[in-house]
């Protein structure tokens, strides 16, 4: 960013290298403060014209908006250092207005709330060509800038209210009054595959992230629609991204590095990646070539759809592309397009991508196993992991999350190893145990908590555990729609690779409204993210891995989570978790 700030819709991005305030005087005379007051006055005039007229008359206005703005700015500056009684003497022009203190207080409270209704982001660009971003002092400055701004804004608000009313503050609310989230960015040269990608080179990389909980974002969509479409040509050819409007989050997606470029219109989604994917260090960026890039928020590509990908065979590279429309304003598009790129690369490398959850479980009696549950969105995989946590006190000695949504299998000489992709999880609030999300509020990012399919992005794993490679002991398909009875137990094992492949290949589940699907639906291997796009290669890999699992005595079956059956949203995964514990004890 080369400008001190940018206001785009309900977002404010502040470049603290150009707009730094460490005193009330600087804050009150900043261009951003003046702009916010001006915008609030216009909002007041539009939404509550009667109150606007009262305020204008109290300040001796004649209908001139600029004149009213100047008077309010002057009054606020004077109230930051003087009590109202003193102002009557110092500036008699405000005597009439100060007789309407309730009106003025309502204005100040409204202005404060108006500021806080924005999504507020702090951006600290690192000086190019220096070692500043690596310096501890620079890190400390990055962390303290937002805290200092927060205290400055709170001090201004409290001082103005106290001086205006003559009453001291009795209840101090330490609200996140500055920014919700901050990033330190740096322009870094990386190994660009070809001329087609030169339009990405000026975009700054996110090096460090800071957020002030609780964070609640309100994306314009709350579910994902449509498929991921392969493009015949590179969508980045001729595209140039502005360093003013774009950021790059260098993500460690399992064993891969993927550079995720996102437009500032989708800042809430892009910055939330810090709770989902490990942030790559400088050594993984400088002079290095990632395995893939994703551009999120670009111009239309001339085809219907939202999410696309392109395989650059000449450069052994994969490109993801999401159109910058209002329909794309959902975190699921950012997450799933990234994971689709991961899966395409895994298939090409001979690993089998999995849509599911992987976990290492150690029980209190010493028995342990590495478990994988495969299932599409809403099948109950994440909810079963949550049920493990609920039952942890009575049963668990240790639980390590390997992956919560997407992983992969690889063959070693002796074992079948599973790897993860994410250090966080993107979960439905409705499917979590009561109180869990609020217990984790200090680490979580909430999205549309007032709507159906409300979501939370929360850290759940450590990167070194995600990529270390865990031998698989139990491999289950998540069946969310069948009731349990004598003929259909909670856990049922398959007698052969062919029968197992039939169930996994069918990918049956009852849709729960997390996408635009309804009723009993099927998705190839419960994984619409790369598997159907490379079906022929995936089919060969699937048979190879399933036969290997049966040869190496891996328990392969299905678990009936009953998540889609009314009344079993909580009890179904709990019963499944208990059955899995019993299975592990008897291995």
């Amino acid at each position: 960013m080369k400008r001190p700030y940018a206001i785009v819709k309900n977002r404010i991005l502040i470049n603290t290298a150009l707009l730094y305030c460490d005193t009330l005087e600087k804050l009150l005379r900043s261009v951003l403060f003046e702009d916010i007051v001006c915008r609030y006055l216009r909002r007041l005039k539009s939404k509550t014209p009667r109150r606007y007229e009262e305020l204008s008359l109290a300040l001796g206005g004649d209908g001139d908006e600029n004149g009213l703005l100047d008077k309010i700015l002057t009054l606020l500056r004077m109230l930051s250092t003087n009590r109202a009684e003193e102002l009557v003497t110092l500036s008699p022009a405000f005597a009439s207005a100060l007789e309407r203190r309730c009106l003025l207080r309502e204005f100040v409270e409204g202005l404060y709330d108006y500021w806080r209704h924005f999504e507020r982001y702090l951006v600290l660009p690192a000086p190019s060509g220096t070692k500043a971003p690596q310096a501890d002092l620079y890190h400390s400055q990055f962390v303290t800038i937002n805290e200092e701004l927060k205290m400055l804004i709170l001090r201004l608000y409290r001082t103005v209210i106290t001086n205006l009313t003559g009453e001291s503050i009795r209840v101090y609310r330490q609200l996140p009054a500055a920014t919700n989230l901050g990033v330190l960015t740096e322009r870094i040269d990386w190994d660009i595959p070809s001329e087609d990608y030169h339009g990405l080179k000026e975009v700054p990389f996110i090096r460090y992230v800071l957020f002030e909980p609780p964070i609640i974002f309100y994306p314009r969509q709350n579910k994902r629609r449509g498929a991921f479409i392969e493009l015949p040509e590179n969508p980045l050819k001729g595209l140039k991204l502005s360093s003013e409007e774009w950021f790059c989050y260098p993500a460690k997606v399992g064993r891969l590095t993927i550079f995720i470029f996102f437009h500032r219109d989708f800042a809430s989604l892009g910055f939330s990646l810090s709770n989902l994917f490990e942030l790559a260090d400088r050594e993984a960026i400088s002079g290095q070539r990632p395995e893939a890039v994703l551009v999120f928020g670009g111009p239309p590509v001339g085809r219907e759809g939202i999410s696309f990908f392109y395989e650059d065979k000449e450069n052994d590279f994969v490109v993801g592309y999401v159109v910058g429309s209002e329909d794309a304003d959902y975190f699921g598009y950012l997450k799933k397009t990234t994971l689709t790129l991961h899966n395409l690369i895994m298939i090409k490398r001979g690993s089998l991508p999995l849509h599911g959850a992987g976990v290492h479980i150690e029980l209190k009696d010493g028995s342990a196993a590495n478990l994988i549950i495969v299932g599409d969105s809403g099948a109950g995989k994440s909810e079963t992991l949550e049920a493990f946590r609920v039952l942890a006190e009575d049963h668990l000695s240790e639980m390590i999350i390997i992956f919560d949504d997407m992983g992969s299998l690889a063959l070693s000489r002796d074992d079948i190893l599973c790897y993860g992709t994410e250090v966080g999880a993107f979960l439905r609030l409705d499917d979590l145990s009561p109180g869990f999300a609020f217990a984790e509020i200090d680490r979580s990012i909430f999205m549309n908590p007032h709507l159906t399919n409300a979501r939370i992005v929360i850290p759940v794993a450590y990167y070194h555990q995600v990529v270390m490679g865990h031998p698989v002991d139990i491999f289950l398909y998540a069946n969310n729609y069948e009731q349990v009875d004598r003929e259909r137990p909670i856990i049922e094992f398959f007698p052969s690779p062919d029968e197992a492949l039939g169930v996994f290949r069918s990918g049956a589940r009852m849709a729960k409204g997390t996408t635009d699907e309804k009723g009993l639906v099927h998705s190839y291997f419960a994984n619409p993210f790369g598997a159907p796009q490379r079906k022929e290669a995936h089919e060969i890999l699937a048979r190879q891995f399933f036969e290997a699992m049966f040869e190496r005595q891996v328990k392969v079956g299905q678990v009936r989570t009953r998540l889609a059956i009314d009344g079993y949203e909580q009890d179904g995964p709990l019963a499944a978790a208990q059955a899995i514990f019993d299975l592990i004890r008897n291995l």
Side-chain angles (χ1 to χ4, degrees), residues 4 11 37 65 70 117 144 228 255 316 403 501 522 552:
R11 302 174 185 90
V37 175
E65 289 186 12
D70 289 340
H117 101 279
T144 58
F228 297 90
R255 294 169 286 169
D316 191 23
F403 60 96
L501 281 165
H522 298 79
R552 301 183 190 190

Side-chain angles (χ1 to χ4, degrees), residues 83-97:
R83 289 181 289 119
E85 292 78 6
E86 297 170 334
L87 279 187
V88 174
T89 303
L90 292 171
S91 184
F94 288 118
S96 176

Side-chain angles (χ1 to χ4, degrees), residues 427-441:
L427 304 174
R428 277 170 49 98
L429 279 174
D430 292 346
D431 295 329
L432 297 174
S433 61
F436 172 79
F438 296 103
E440 301 293 331
I441 196 170

Side-chain angles (χ1 to χ4, degrees), residues 5 12 24 34 73 80 94 106 114 139 143 212 235 278 304 343 353 366 402-403 405 488 493 559 563 575:
Y5 70 94
I12 300 178
L24 291 183
E34 181 175 334
L73 289 172
S80 71
F94 288 118
E106 287 179 14
Y114 176 70
H139 294 181
V143 171
E212 183 95 11
E278 182 80 0
E304 289 189 9
N343 291 352
I402 304 167
F403 60 96
D405 185 40
R488 296 178 294 190
F493 295 110
V559 56
L563 187 67

Side-chain angles (χ1 to χ4, degrees), residues 22 47 52 164 229 252 290 310 316 357 379 412 414 449 473 496 528 531:
D22 57 357
K47 299 289 185 180
Y52 176 86
L164 181 61
I229 303 168
K252 300 296 290 185
Y310 169 75
D316 191 23
S412 71
D414 300 316
D473 300 304
S496 69

Side-chain angles (χ1 to χ4, degrees), residues 72-224:
I72 287 177
L73 289 172
T74 301
L75 178 60
L76 292 174
R77 289 165 187 158
M78 296 186 75
L79 283 170
S80 71
T81 55
N82 302 277
R83 289 181 289 119
E85 292 78 6
E86 297 170 334
L87 279 187
V88 174
T89 303
L90 292 171
S91 184
F94 288 118
S96 176
L98 291 169
E99 292 178 1
R100 302 288 307 276
R101 296 190 192 185
C102 289
L103 177 66
L104 293 177
R105 176 167 186 169
E106 287 179 14
F107 175 82
V108 173
E109 297 282 5
L111 175 63
Y112 183 49
D113 289 341
Y114 176 70
W115 159 257
R116 291 180 55 247
H117 101 279
F118 284 98
E119 292 176 6
R120 307 175 304 278
Y121 305 98
L122 178 151
V123 180
L124 177 59
S128 299
T130 71
K131 294 185 178 181
Q134 285 83 30
D136 291 342
L137 182 61
Y138 208 73
H139 294 181
S140 176
Q141 182 185 9
F142 168 61
V143 171
T144 58
I145 280 176
N146 191 56
E147 190 66 24
E148 290 173 352
L149 181 59
K150 167 186 169 180
M151 296 309 298
L152 200 62
I153 292 172
L154 287 173
R155 180 181 159 201
L156 174 61
Y157 163 72
R158 291 165 180 168
T159 300
V160 169
I161 289 295
T162 299
N163 284 341
L164 181 61
T165 63
E167 299 177 358
S168 61
I169 301 291
R170 291 185 291 276
V171 178
Y172 290 87
R173 297 179 177 89
Q174 292 297 99
L175 303 175
T179 58
N180 307 103
L181 196 148
V183 292
L184 188 153
T185 64
E186 183 182 5
R187 163 76 173 79
I188 303 174
D189 290 324
W190 54 286
D191 181 13
I192 296 173
S194 71
E195 286 288 334
D196 288 352
Y197 303 91
H198 274 213
L200 310 178
K201 68 178 182 178
E202 297 299 326
V203 177
F205 286 87
I206 294 172
R207 294 292 320 286
Y208 301 98
V209 180
L210 176 151
F211 68 82
E212 183 95 11
I215 294 182
I216 304 175
F217 291 135
Y218 297 92
R220 288 165 287 183
Q221 305 297 328
N222 73 322
K223 65 174 61 176
R224 180 175 45 79

Side-chain angles (χ1 to χ4, degrees), residues 382-383 386 389 404 425-429 432 436 454-458 460:
S382 297
E383 292 74 17
E386 170 58 17
R389 296 187 185 96
D404 190 80
F426 180 51
L427 304 174
R428 277 170 49 98
L429 279 174
L432 297 174
F436 172 79
R455 293 280 184 157
I456 182 175
V457 189
I458 182 172
V460 296

Side-chain angles (χ1 to χ4, degrees), residues 549-563:
M549 281 191 281
F550 275 83
E551 289 172 4
R552 301 183 190 190
Q553 306 301 309
V554 175
K555 295 284 188 180
V556 181
Q558 63 178 326
V559 56
R560 293 181 170 90
T561 67
R562 294 178 284 178
L563 187 67

